[in-house]
């Protein structure tokens, strides 16, 4: 059975549960049931109704599409045909009276333009600068993240086939595929936005797309300060850490802004250094001249030919890098990354998922063990404490804002414990009447142990960067 037929027949394969009347299973009388306490009603969210399909609009769109194929000499010359679509639609309507009064011509033309030049119905969301994420949960439910909050949109697809067409349009240019044998895929849009797609039978609601958008113009450190993600003092400190070639790890949860922060930190790297970036799907947008971008590769249809992040980390060390930037560490590549950091590749940057700097250390220990090398825990901790200098913890708060909540120094190993010390932290003080979290980013008052290393690198940081505001008055 083909993939499309399997998706369309999915609902037919589901047998509804048998309904049983209450009177058939209960011996209570009506009076007894009336006296018994009633369970509270559970409010279930209403499903968004599927808009009715207008056959005439679909027919007009199909006829327009055929006309385009006839008129276009070069299939890539889409831009020249777009201005003519409205006139072409008017001519078809004049020739066929059945279209009059039964269609919305503008919506048909707009939908066709989105299909030809963009990514179907979600194209307006991808062009909206206020939208940071787009989530397609099947053909009839499309969500977006706007200013940190999830919003259900009024956008719909025709059917599962329409969603599949958009997925194929995304993955085909970068050599990826999605079908029954490979129902999940990671990809990227031309602007670098990250895409994940998963289709039935794994996705029960229909083909599902998740797109993490990136700004057309990459954010710089001043943007993060303006957003309240960090303070000027923290920006000065991080700038010094990158230029002094400290190894920095950015940790946080999904959607907390790790990749954005990593991209901003990468901009501090001097322009005369050779940078090698390693990612599952290329997202980083570095402004330096000498950047080599590497991207992992999934297995082919025979299940062979996969190139993992670990393979790329090993290969990058033979490419004479001044800096190695790893988009996300999630497996056995952690061991190779730590060894690289400990053997002369200072100034490396990476990200990983965790809830706190201490949790990130624990996760790194686990990931090293995934490499299949039998190392005692103390040896692993020695590798971690010797390799990583700074952990930046980022979070997305309940009000949708993204903050760097901790900048932590890895001070070393004492006994069997890795000693961590917070340099900056986020102090939360409740929420206001508008639902915004009140808080501020402050230094802890402790100067990092590697402060002399910064000075030896010719980088000077004013001592007041590390002093709490309340201490100024003392």
């Amino acid at each position: 059975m083909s993939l499309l037929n399997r998706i369309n027949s999915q609902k037919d394969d589901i047998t509804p549960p048998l309904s049983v009347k209450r009177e058939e299973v209960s011996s209570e009388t009506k009076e007894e049931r009336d006296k018994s306490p009633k369970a509270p009603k559970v409010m279930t969210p209403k499903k968004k109704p599927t808009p009715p399909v207008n056959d005439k609009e679909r027919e007009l769109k199909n006829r327009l599409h055929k006309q385009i194929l006839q008129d276009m000499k070069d299939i890539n010359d889409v831009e020249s045909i777009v201005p003519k679509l409205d006139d072409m639609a008017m001519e078809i309507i004049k020739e066929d009276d059945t279209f009059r009064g039964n269609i919305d011509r503008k919506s048909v033309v707009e939908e066709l333009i989105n299909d030809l030049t963009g990514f179907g119905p979600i194209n307006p969301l991808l062009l909206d600068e206020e939208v940071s994420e787009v989530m397609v949960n099947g053909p009839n439910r499309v969500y977006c993240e706007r200013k940190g909050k999830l919003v259900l949109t009024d956008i719909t697809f025709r059917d599962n086939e329409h969603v599949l067409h958009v997925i194929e349009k995304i993955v085909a240019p970068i050599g990826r595929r999605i079908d029954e044998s490979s129902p999940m895929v990671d990809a990227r849009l031309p602007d670098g936005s990250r895409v994940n797609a998963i289709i039935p039978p794994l996705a029960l609601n229909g083909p599902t797309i998740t797109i993490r958008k990136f700004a057309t113009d990459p954010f710089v450190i001043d943007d993060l300060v303006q957003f309240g993600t960090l303070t000027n003092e923290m920006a000065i400190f991080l700038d010094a850490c990158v230029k002094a070639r400290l190894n920095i790890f950015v940790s946080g949860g999904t959607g907390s802004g790790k990749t954005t922060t990593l991209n901003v930190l990468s901009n501090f790297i001097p322009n005369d250094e050779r940078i090698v970036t390693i990612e599952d799907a290329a997202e980083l947008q570095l402004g330096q001249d000498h950047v080599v971008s590497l991207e992992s590769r999934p297995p082919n249809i025979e299940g062979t030919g996969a190139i993992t992040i670990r393979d790329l980390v090993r290969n990058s060390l033979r490419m004479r890098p001044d800096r190695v930037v790893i988009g996300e560490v999630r497996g056995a590549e952690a061991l190779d990354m730590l060894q690289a950091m400990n053997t002369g590749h200072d100034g490396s940057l990476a990200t990983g998922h965790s809830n706190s700097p201490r949790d990130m250390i624990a996760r790194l220990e686990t990931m090293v063990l995934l490499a299949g090398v039998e190392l005692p825990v103390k040896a692993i901790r020695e590798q971690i404490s010797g390799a990583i200098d700074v952990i930046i913890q980022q979070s997305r708060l309940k009000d949708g804002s993204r903050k760097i909540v901790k900048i932590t120094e890895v001070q070393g190993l004492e006994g069997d414990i890795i000693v961590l010390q917070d340099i900056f932290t986020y102090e939360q003080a409740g929420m206001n009447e508008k639902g915004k979290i009140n808080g501020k980013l402050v230094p802890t008052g402790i100067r990092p142990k590697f402060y002399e290393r910064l000075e030896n690198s010719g980088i000077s940081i004013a001592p007041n960067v590390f002093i709490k505001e309340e201490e100024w008055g003392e």
Side-chain angles (χ1 to χ4, degrees):
M1 182 184 293
S2 68
L3 174 63
L4 181 58
N5 291 336
R6 185 168 182 175
I7 293 173
N8 291 333
S9 63
Q10 183 184 6
K11 294 182 179 179
D12 299 333
D13 296 337
I14 301 175
T15 304
L18 294 176
S19 60
V20 182
K21 293 183 178 180
R22 182 174 179 178
E23 288 77 10
E24 295 176 354
V25 297
S26 176
S27 60
E28 291 180 326
T29 64
K30 183 177 183 304
E31 291 76 9
E32 290 174 337
R33 289 198 299 268
D34 292 340
K35 292 180 181 179
S36 60
K38 296 181 180 179
K41 291 184 178 180
V42 179
M43 300 299 292
T44 56
K46 294 182 179 179
K47 291 186 177 181
K48 188 177 181 181
T50 304
V53 178
N54 190 325
D55 292 334
K56 299 304 295 183
E57 289 186 357
R58 179 175 296 179
E59 182 183 346
L60 175 61
K61 184 178 176 182
N62 291 337
R63 289 178 61 172
L64 277 171
H65 197 268
K66 290 178 182 178
Q67 186 69 34
I68 290 170
L69 295 178
Q70 293 175 2
D71 293 350
M72 281 175 50
K73 296 180 181 179
D74 183 1
I75 194 65
N76 294 319
D77 190 18
V78 176
E79 297 296 334
S80 63
I81 205 72
V82 168
K84 304 176 184 178
L85 285 176
D86 196 52
D87 292 337
M88 293 167 61
M90 286 294 296
E91 290 179 7
I92 295 175
I93 293 172
K94 289 178 181 178
E95 295 173 359
D96 191 340
D97 293 337
T98 61
F99 287 117
R100 297 181 181 178
N102 295 322
I103 62 166
D104 183 351
R105 188 186 80 258
K106 290 185 177 180
S107 66
V108 172
V109 172
E110 184 179 353
E111 183 180 345
L112 188 56
I113 291 174
N114 288 331
D115 285 342
L116 291 173
T117 64
F119 299 100
I122 60 174
N123 206 56
L125 295 178
L126 298 177
L127 298 176
D128 190 342
E129 295 183 356
E130 291 187 350
V131 174
S132 56
E133 197 149 0
V134 179
M135 291 146 279
V136 179
N137 301 347
N140 300 321
R141 297 186 74 84
V142 178
Y143 289 84
C144 72
E145 183 184 78
R146 194 184 299 271
K147 298 181 179 179
K149 295 291 186 179
L150 288 180
V151 180
L152 177 62
T153 70
D154 58 357
I155 293 174
T156 60
F157 290 77
R158 289 193 310 273
D159 47 28
N160 284 333
E161 182 183 2
H162 196 185
V163 185
L164 273 175
H165 173 72
V166 172
I167 296 175
E168 290 168 356
K169 191 172 184 179
I170 292 172
V171 302
I174 60 172
R176 301 288 171 93
R177 63 185 177 84
I178 189 164
D179 51 35
E180 280 186 342
S181 62
S182 180
M184 297 181 293
V185 68
D186 287 314
R188 67 180 184 276
L189 298 182
D191 65 356
S193 298
R194 184 173 63 200
V195 181
N196 174 270
I198 181 169
I199 63 174
L202 302 185
L204 302 182
N205 296 330
T208 302
I209 311 173
T210 308
I211 301 175
R212 177 76 54 78
K213 286 178 56 181
F214 290 95
T216 306
D217 297 322
F219 291 132
V220 295
I221 192 67
D222 291 338
D223 294 321
L224 298 191
V225 172
Q226 184 178 355
F227 298 154
T229 302
L230 74 169
T231 62
N232 282 315
E233 291 75 17
M234 296 165 71
I236 293 171
F237 176 71
L238 293 177
D239 183 13
C241 290
V242 173
K243 289 179 179 175
R245 302 184 65 86
L246 299 181
N247 293 320
I248 300 175
F249 208 97
V250 183
S251 67
T254 301
S256 59
K258 299 185 300 298
T259 303
T260 299
T261 299
L262 180 66
N263 205 71
V264 169
L265 294 178
S266 301
N267 291 330
F268 294 143
I269 299 175
N271 197 42
D272 59 351
E273 296 188 13
R274 176 176 169 88
I275 307 169
V276 178
T277 67
I278 302 170
E279 302 171 85
D280 265 332
E283 304 170 37
L284 295 173
Q285 300 168 293
L286 274 62
Q288 289 84 350
D289 295 330
H290 200 161
V291 179
V292 179
S293 299
L294 305 181
E295 186 178 58
S296 65
R297 185 178 71 187
N300 58 24
I301 194 169
E302 289 84 14
T304 59
I307 303 297
T308 65
I309 293 290
R310 188 179 190 187
D311 296 329
L312 295 178
V313 171
R314 288 176 172 177
N315 187 79
S316 70
L317 304 183
R318 306 185 188 102
M319 298 173 66
R320 199 265 178 209
D322 289 311
R323 308 269 186 156
V324 178
V325 181
I326 305 176
E328 183 178 339
V329 179
R330 61 165 69 94
E333 66 271 10
L335 176 59
D336 301 278
M337 179 197 70
L338 294 174
Q339 289 178 332
M341 290 178 173
N342 275 314
T343 54
H345 293 87
D346 296 332
S348 297
L349 305 172
T351 73
H353 283 85
S354 76
N355 294 323
S356 69
R358 177 63 64 185
D359 287 344
M360 193 68 253
I361 296 294
R363 284 210 66 219
L364 282 172
E365 293 178 16
T366 303
M367 288 188 282
V368 169
L369 294 173
L370 293 175
V373 180
E374 295 184 2
L375 292 174
V377 174
K378 186 171 183 179
I380 296 174
R381 292 177 179 175
E382 286 176 348
Q383 287 279 323
I384 295 172
S385 63
I388 299 176
D389 299 302
V390 178
I391 297 177
I392 301 172
Q393 181 66 34
Q394 189 143 350
S395 295
R396 181 173 60 178
L397 305 182
K398 289 184 178 180
D399 62 355
S401 61
R402 293 170 171 85
K403 304 282 187 184
I404 291 179
V405 294
K406 285 182 186 296
I407 297 181
T408 302
E409 177 190 13
V410 181
Q411 293 190 333
L413 197 66
E414 290 187 5
D416 292 336
I417 304 299
I418 296 177
V419 179
L420 303 179
Q421 177 60 59
D422 293 337
I423 306 300
F424 294 89
T425 187
Y426 181 72
E427 295 181 353
Q428 186 172 330
M431 300 180 69
N432 60 22
E433 62 278 1
K434 296 182 179 179
K436 290 290 183 180
I437 292 179
N438 293 323
K440 58 181 179 178
L441 296 155
V442 295
T444 59
I446 298 174
R447 186 185 302 184
K449 282 188 174 182
F450 54 73
Y451 186 77
E452 291 183 2
R453 182 175 168 184
L454 299 179
E455 291 184 331
N456 293 336
S457 300
I459 300 170
S460 178
I461 300 181
N464 58 14
V465 168
F466 306 106
I467 299 177
K468 289 186 177 181
E469 291 182 4
E470 56 266 24
E471 295 179 1
W472 277 95
E474 297 179 359

